[in-house]
Amino acid sequence: MALSLPISSLESDIKTKNSGCPESEIGSQGLRKQILKKGNSWQTPFPGDEVEVHFSGRVEGGACLDSNIDKGTPFRFKLGQSEVIKGLDEGVATMKKGERAIFIIPPNLAYGELGFRPLIPPNSTLIFDVEMLSWTSIRDITGDGGILKKTTKEGEGWATPREADEVLVKYEARLENAALVSKSDEGVEFNVSDGYLCPAISKAVKTMRRGEKAELAVKFSYGIRQNENGATDTDDIPPDSNLTIKLELVSWKSVIDVTGDKKVLKRITKVGEGFDRPNEGSVVKVIYYGKLKDGTVFERKGSNEEVFEFTTLEEQINEGLDRAIMTMKKGEQALVTVTKGYLHSNDISGMENEDLFYEVELIDFIKEKPFWKMDTKEKIEACERKKNDGNAATYVEFDHSFTDDEKSIAKALWFSSNLNSAACKLKLGDYLEASTLCTKVLKHDPCNVKALYRRSLAYLKISELDKAEDDIKRALTSDPNNRDVKLVYKELKDKQREYARYQTEIFSTMLSRMG
């Protein structure tokens, strides 16, 4: 920092301004600060930022030093780069925009034992009056100097894109000799994880806010990619070129991995209200339509005049879309992609091998009360509403606070829920789980005909013929005229005869080989 002749009455001015201003210590090396005027923001600069200040300074009890107050030009320097004495570096780093403060800098953070003759004697304490005008952020994004980012226009809000998000940027990339490499005035959209042009752009956008503009100084290691032959993918660009990139983050779409395996992805196009989202069993009101990759619309639900209403996770709509809607807020609009790897045969008939794309708006919802917060009456009512759902039994299964009358109702609902769930498992081909659910019922009611019938069906499917026959005979003992049980008994006999023929053929083959 340049030094000059004394400035008159600085010390007396400082004493006047300091009256009533509390003094605080910064760090542990004796640097002290007195705020004369508070700043107008909460932010402070970071190491590497280029700051603009007005200042005047003097030796405590001695000569006045340099000042730029009367020169009309702000003094600029980069924080943390040893461009000024250490005490001033550390002090200015604590200042907010518009703040004015006095810094009392001990010798060990100034010119130390040597001083700076003739103005600064050895072991001198210095006093600086500093006003923070502004600063330009410069970030070492990679920590190795490979990408330096200088913010030229502040962005909006606080959020920044994440790895899965889709961003829209405008950019201009040039070589060190100012030759143009590539640019996009209209903007280009890409997924952050996929990147675009060079690694520096995807790394930089993750540090930017909406509307922010920045200049990037990019070393060749983060620049244009090399192909298999060692050349760059962009014509006439040497593979070891450093770049300067002007980058603007226009906007981005937040992408949520709904299922955690990238099989159901949600891209937010309009942010919703508040923080609450639907849970399982919520009654939701939506407008949506689904289309295929070629643009063919295969489904429409709801309109501005009459919204579509359904209950979440009750198999009323495609399951992937259902789960995506449960991540939405009221008023949110989103694009939902359900990949063919997630679809089930009972979701969209004939489209099991298609990716499905939905545009959906969550108009409103009524959230289902969690069952552990329900009283006994609410649990019974919830189980009654959802008894066809395999999870309904949880509402009444472990509650010990029911009255005798409520226990009777709850028991019947518990039976019904487990048996309905077993029926669903049979349709889905989960025969082992179906038999387990029926067994739970039979432990409490050994002669329950529905449980015996459905367990026998499960046993038939897994070729447990003896077990199936035992269940059927027990069911017919309780209800000899049950048509469904008689039909499954006929199916059992057919299977037994088929199995007997199979065994006979094997035995005959063995005898012929022995002969």
Side-chain angles (χ1 to χ4, degrees), residues 112-128:
E113 296 178 355
L114 297 178
F116 194 89
R117 294 187 181 277
L119 291 177
I120 305 175
N123 297 312
S124 293
T125 295
L126 305 184
I127 301 173
F128 278 88

Side-chain angles (χ1 to χ4, degrees), residues 137-405:
S137 295
I138 298 177
R139 301 280 188 276
D140 183 354
I141 293 175
T142 54
D144 58 4
I147 307 173
L148 298 178
K149 187 188 86 171
K150 177 179 179 179
T151 301
T152 56
K153 179 189 173 186
E154 293 289 343
E156 304 170 2
W158 56 269
T160 56
R162 294 172 296 181
E163 190 75 14
D165 292 348
E166 291 181 352
V167 296
L168 175 63
V169 303
K170 295 179 181 179
Y171 73 93
E172 179 183 285
R174 294 182 180 272
L175 299 177
E176 289 180 298
N177 64 5
L180 181 66
V181 174
S182 178
K183 68 183 296 186
S184 175
D185 294 329
E186 299 299 321
V188 61
E189 191 171 34
F190 63 93
N191 186 279
V192 175
S193 61
D194 295 337
Y196 183 81
L197 187 68
C198 65
I201 290 182
S202 60
K203 289 182 180 294
V205 294
K206 288 191 288 186
T207 71
M208 299 176 71
R209 295 176 290 157
R210 193 182 307 272
E212 181 178 330
K213 294 182 180 180
E215 292 182 3
L216 308 179
V218 182
K219 295 290 180 64
F220 66 89
S221 54
Y222 296 97
I224 303 298
R225 297 184 179 91
Q226 295 183 352
N227 58 31
E228 295 177 354
N229 300 320
T232 59
D233 295 330
T234 306
D235 295 339
D236 304 323
I237 304 300
D240 58 349
S241 298
N242 297 332
L243 299 174
T244 299
I245 301 175
K246 292 182 178 179
L247 184 64
E248 177 184 357
L249 177 58
V250 179
S251 63
W252 80 86
K253 297 173 185 174
S254 294
V255 179
I256 309 299
D257 185 352
V258 176
T259 53
D261 54 9
K262 296 187 177 180
K263 291 183 178 180
V264 180
L265 298 175
K266 183 190 76 169
R267 294 163 175 82
I268 300 173
T269 55
K270 180 185 174 184
V271 178
E273 308 168 8
F275 300 96
D276 210 11
R277 298 176 175 87
N279 61 357
E280 182 179 348
S282 295
V283 178
V284 300
K285 298 178 180 180
V286 297
I287 301 172
Y288 77 82
Y289 71 89
K291 60 183 180 180
L292 304 179
K293 193 172 184 178
D294 63 5
T296 302
V297 176
F298 63 85
E299 184 179 27
R300 287 186 184 273
K301 294 287 186 180
S303 64
N304 291 325
E305 292 73 30
E306 185 177 358
V307 297
F308 174 62
E309 185 175 302
F310 73 97
T311 303
T312 56
L313 292 190
E314 288 200 353
E315 300 183 2
Q316 293 175 264
I317 64 171
N318 175 274
E319 185 185 345
L321 175 61
D322 204 344
R323 294 190 178 279
I325 288 173
M326 287 173 63
T327 71
M328 298 176 69
K329 302 173 185 175
K330 180 180 177 180
E332 182 179 321
Q333 296 178 9
L335 305 174
V336 177
T337 301
V338 182
T339 67
K340 53 181 173 285
Y342 187 80
L343 295 175
H344 303 291
S345 60
N346 61 333
D347 283 333
I348 304 293
S349 179
M351 299 181 187
E352 296 82 3
N353 296 314
E354 297 274 2
D355 289 343
L356 305 182
F357 304 88
Y358 294 92
E359 292 191 21
V360 57
E361 179 179 5
L362 177 58
I363 305 298
D364 201 358
F365 63 92
I366 301 172
K367 197 167 185 177
E368 173 77 357
K369 191 174 184 179
F371 80 90
W372 60 86
K373 291 186 177 180
M374 295 178 180
D375 58 30
T376 55
K377 182 180 178 182
E378 289 172 324
K379 287 179 180 179
I380 290 173
E381 290 175 349
C383 191
E384 179 65 43
R385 290 195 307 271
K386 299 165 72 68
K387 64 183 179 182
N388 293 325
D389 180 355
N391 296 321
T394 58
Y395 289 98
V396 293
E397 187 168 11
F398 302 109
D399 199 296
H400 303 288
S401 59
F402 291 128
T403 65
D404 290 341
D405 288 342

